[in-house]
Amino acid sequence: MTATRNKVNKKTPRKHLPVAGEIRIENARTHNLQGVHCAFPIGQLTVVSGPSGSGKSSLAFDTLYAEGQRRYLSSLSSNARHFLERLPRPEVDSVSNLPPAIAVAQGNPVTNARSTVGSASEILDPLRLLFARLGETRCCGERVPPADLEALSARVAQRFAGKRVMIAAPGLQRKGESSSAFRERLLRDGHHRLLEQGGAVLDIAECSSSQWKRARSNARLLIDRIKVAPSVRTRLAEALASGFAQGDGVVEVVTEDGAVQRYHDTFACERCGRQHPTPTLALFSFDTPLGACAHCQGFGRQPTLDLEALAPDPARSLGGGAIQPFRTKMGRRHQRALIKACAAREVPTDIPWRELDAAQRNWVVAGDETWRGVQAFFKRLEARRYKVQARVMIARYRRFEHCAACCGTRLGPAARAVWLGERHLGELSRLSIGELSKWLDALELSATQQASARLIELLRARVATACEVGLEYLSLERPLRTLSGGEAQRIQLARALGGALCRALYVLDEPSVGLHPRDMSRLLGVLRGIRARGNTVVVVEHAPEIIAAADHLIDLGPGAGRHGGRVVAEGRVADVRACEAAATGRLLAGAIPLRRRRRPRARTKNAGAGALFVRRARSHNLQNLDVRVPLAQLVVVTGVSGAGKSSLVRSVLVGHLQADPERGACDGIEGADALRDVVVVERRPPARGLRSNAATVSKAFDGIRRCFASTPEARRQKLGPGWFSFNRAGGRCEECEGAGEKRVDMHFLEDLRVPCEHCGGARYREPACAIEWRDHSIVDVLQLSVDEARALFASERAVAPLLEPLARVGLGYLQLVQPLSTLSGGELQRVRIAQALA
């Protein structure tokens, strides 16, 4: 393999490399890499290709990016490193000329319901700032003016120009203050006149006690009488300020004809006096109590009873258990109470649920004074949420609907009262990114708003970047956990590009995943745009279009696992294409056809098993689709990115079949009676701990341990299957607790992981290693590959059949003991498929 690589490199002239040089990796041994030596030209697009499991992610992410991240953290102060994640040093001799690194990983690990496309793409943050700076608060159909004395005096001068007005303020008597003390205080402060309701002016010093008692409760202090003109602008402002001070922030302007206009020194409506908070960033965030809707706490939806789940079989009668929760042990008492209440109300209990009229069904659910209803049953369960059974019951019969208070916008009324460009932020969040781009282009700024033009340009740049990576169809309010893995990765890419970094290292993991071939040229344009800024781009990729566009190509292989981890070819695309030893080269040369002739479908005993019918699916961007899904066949759902494939399959079809509370909206699924079970293979990988491996995740390790426990020597020593587990005390090494390695705390430096000196990394003590099954110790068995273990345990029903799914998905080369944390994204996905097959 080395000779092949050297031959290819001789054909690669070094003059095509940039002046900046190249990143060189010497003797990389991470995971299955076998002493890899390679180079990444700086300022160019390098693609790392090869079969799944050949070591691409180990080279690009676990070596190249991990070393860049480790160097950044090591540059921080020792006190800062104490609070950050401690990263191990990759197994490599040297990585030279390494720029700052940014990784864009594959998959969608987000499960938080508050994370949205707008927050993850960092478009929502500048949009909130834009509303806080330029937003216009509206109330009673009019703009709420700013709470500024100078602006207020200008509005009063403009509104009452040339008129005689009186500036008055409510005279507020302090708590515990007597009537006479209140009068003396006003005179002492220089206030001598009261303005009564009819417009009459009353002198405080000269009025009698009876007049004072009658007037003080509803009269107002007369601050000044002014004929409004430009020359008295300063006097008007002083009168308003005095009125605000005396009237606790409220002042009234009274005209000669008795018309009254009230003003506030706070942000309040001049018509109704409603107080509005000053627009701030927190006001427009649904993650803060100030901005979130009080009814849904910023989630945009509220839980409610799922009537379909309450009565899943409409052919059952109330007496036959139509109400599903009342058929459980917890609900038997309520079932008896329901039958008794039905007899008193003359509601039939022997006819199907579907034949009851709407009023009768509503009575069963809502109840009345004689029957509390099914809702009362679940309210009592809410009070017992500390019990697991209650939480499970509530989750089983719950679904989510848009919050009626905020209409699903997640924002409170104060945030929705702020408008910009005839829209509030909640309405903008419902727009797609492409529609938001058009709104920004059409946004017109006044002369006073031009100071924020730079912020709008920044927002336009972020939106344009998201459109460039193919996200223009997503709305800002879309929950991030509902996206496919490819969409989530492109959001990470858009966020990384939004910073406009230069001379950095970008490492991407199959950015073409989930992208329609039609949009591949757009992705290539984005990658070339990153490169044009002087950045170095390293892409782990399988797509031939991306591989063929590389400036530099590193092909790993020739196989997967222990059969890979070597550089088969390196250089320009033409050089790798000419290398017959490289599978990627043969693919690019056309020796491996991309499409094979379809074999005729074999007739099975389930042929003609019927179909599923999805009626009027309308989740996310689906527009009332009617879909037929034939059973006992391989059905593929295709379409461009964002066409609604995941919404149709995962949200609507699977959501309804599994009674998911967050399922997509549709009128119903017909034909589900023909299914026994629904198995979903998510893109989310299985557990990736150091102790999780092919033997444990397949459950074959249980059978292997039973085989060792059945040996004569183990029976003589009375050793059970648990004694051969590296997760339990017994035969495992107690120094490392079965991990095979020990962690050395280096305090302010990264931790070191070294093989356990007591077991030498074997995980077990000598007594366990001494017991053999067919000339293999437990340590020897764990070192076997899946295929080798299948051959060794071919006669064991508890082992070989459980390993068969791993071999069927092409993972027969994996060692049983290899941690799942060392597998690539493609390998982990095949592990999930193997779990589904099992």
Side-chain angles (χ1 to χ4, degrees), residues 295-315:
H295 291 80
C296 63
Q297 284 77 47
F299 285 98
R301 54 194 188 139
Q302 289 182 306
T304 184
L305 274 181
D306 187 353
L307 298 182
E308 294 181 8
L310 283 178
D313 186 1

Side-chain angles (χ1 to χ4, degrees), residues 53 69 110 264 320 347 407 428 438 523 633 640 692:
Q69 191 180 27
V110 176
H264 299 262
V347 175
C407 300
L428 286 182
K438 296 178 181 178
L523 176 61
Q633 296 187 26
V640 298
S692 298

Side-chain angles (χ1 to χ4, degrees), residues 376-387 390 394:
F377 169 74
F378 281 95
K379 286 182 179 178
R380 284 192 291 271
L381 285 181
E382 287 286 348
R384 303 184 196 173
R385 288 190 66 93
Y386 58 87
K387 293 185 177 181
I394 292 171

Side-chain angles (χ1 to χ4, degrees), residues 113-151:
R114 289 189 179 274
S115 297
T116 64
V117 171
S119 59
S121 61
E122 297 184 353
I123 293 177
L124 204 52
D125 291 334
L127 199 58
R128 289 167 176 160
L129 183 59
L130 188 67
F131 269 80
R133 287 188 177 181
L134 306 183
E136 181 181 275
T137 303
R138 296 181 184 178
C139 187
C140 301
E142 294 185 356
R143 174 177 176 267
V144 178
D148 179 73
L149 183 61
E150 183 177 353

Side-chain angles (χ1 to χ4, degrees), residues 405-720:
C406 65
C407 300
T409 61
R410 302 180 177 221
L411 297 174
R416 301 197 306 273
V418 182
W419 294 68
L420 180 63
E422 299 305 318
R423 291 182 184 269
H424 59 72
L425 186 57
E427 293 180 348
L428 286 182
S429 297
R430 292 181 170 177
L431 299 180
S432 66
I433 295 179
E435 293 170 338
L436 178 62
S437 177
K438 296 178 181 178
W439 179 83
L440 286 172
D441 293 338
L443 185 63
E444 297 181 358
L445 300 181
S446 63
T448 58
Q449 295 175 332
Q450 288 297 328
S452 299
R454 179 70 183 92
L455 175 60
I456 296 181
E457 290 302 320
L458 172 64
L459 183 56
R460 285 173 177 164
R462 288 190 181 275
V463 171
T465 302
C467 292
E468 286 178 5
V469 298
L471 299 174
E472 69 278 356
Y473 58 88
L474 292 179
S475 62
L476 297 183
E477 68 173 2
R478 177 87 174 264
L480 197 62
R481 61 180 180 178
T482 65
L483 303 184
S484 65
E487 289 171 329
Q489 187 180 11
R490 291 200 295 278
I491 285 183
Q492 296 183 60
L493 184 60
R495 184 172 59 220
L497 292 176
L501 296 177
C502 60
R503 299 189 180 278
L505 170 65
Y506 284 83
V507 184
L508 291 83
D509 187 10
E510 294 190 60
S512 64
V513 170
L515 196 64
H516 194 271
R518 186 197 70 172
D519 301 323
M520 204 67 72
S521 59
R522 178 187 294 182
L523 176 61
L524 281 172
V526 172
L527 298 178
R528 288 166 178 157
I530 304 175
R531 181 191 60 183
R533 299 175 185 172
N535 298 299
T536 304
V537 184
V538 176
V539 181
V540 175
E541 191 55 81
H542 288 289
E545 298 89 344
I546 305 296
I547 296 175
D551 300 319
H552 189 76
L553 183 57
I554 300 175
D555 192 57
L556 299 182
R562 65 176 68 177
H563 305 295
R566 294 185 290 270
V567 176
V568 179
E570 180 182 1
R572 293 176 300 183
V573 174
D575 301 323
V576 177
R577 184 185 293 116
C579 179
E580 297 182 358
T584 303
R586 298 196 301 273
L587 175 66
L588 296 175
I592 302 176
L594 293 178
R595 297 178 179 85
R596 296 183 179 180
R597 183 179 179 182
R598 182 184 177 186
R599 295 180 296 178
R601 183 169 62 88
R603 298 185 65 86
T604 65
K605 62 180 180 180
N606 293 324
L612 298 175
F613 294 91
V614 182
R615 302 301 185 189
R616 293 178 60 83
R618 49 190 180 274
S619 175
H620 300 312
N621 60 328
L622 299 179
Q623 301 180 21
N624 297 320
L625 293 185
D626 292 326
V627 180
R628 178 180 179 273
V629 182
L631 297 178
Q633 296 187 26
L634 174 62
V635 180
V636 177
V637 180
T638 63
V640 298
S641 299
K645 303 183 294 295
S646 298
S647 299
L648 174 63
V649 176
R650 184 64 185 91
S651 180
V652 176
L653 182 60
V654 176
H656 278 264
L657 293 177
Q658 292 186 332
D660 188 345
E662 301 183 30
R663 60 184 178 272
C666 75
D667 285 355
I669 307 290
E670 300 176 6
D673 296 339
L675 300 178
R676 288 185 300 176
D677 196 7
V678 179
V679 180
V680 181
V681 181
E682 298 278 10
R683 293 194 60 87
R684 192 175 298 112
R688 301 187 64 176
L690 291 174
R691 295 179 181 270
S692 298
N693 50 48
T696 59
V697 76
S698 65
K699 307 298 182 182
F701 196 42
D702 298 339
I704 292 173
R705 291 188 288 110
R706 285 196 293 270
C707 289
F708 276 90
S710 66
T711 60
E713 182 63 24
R715 289 201 303 267
R716 187 182 65 82
Q717 299 183 33
K718 298 181 179 180
L719 304 179

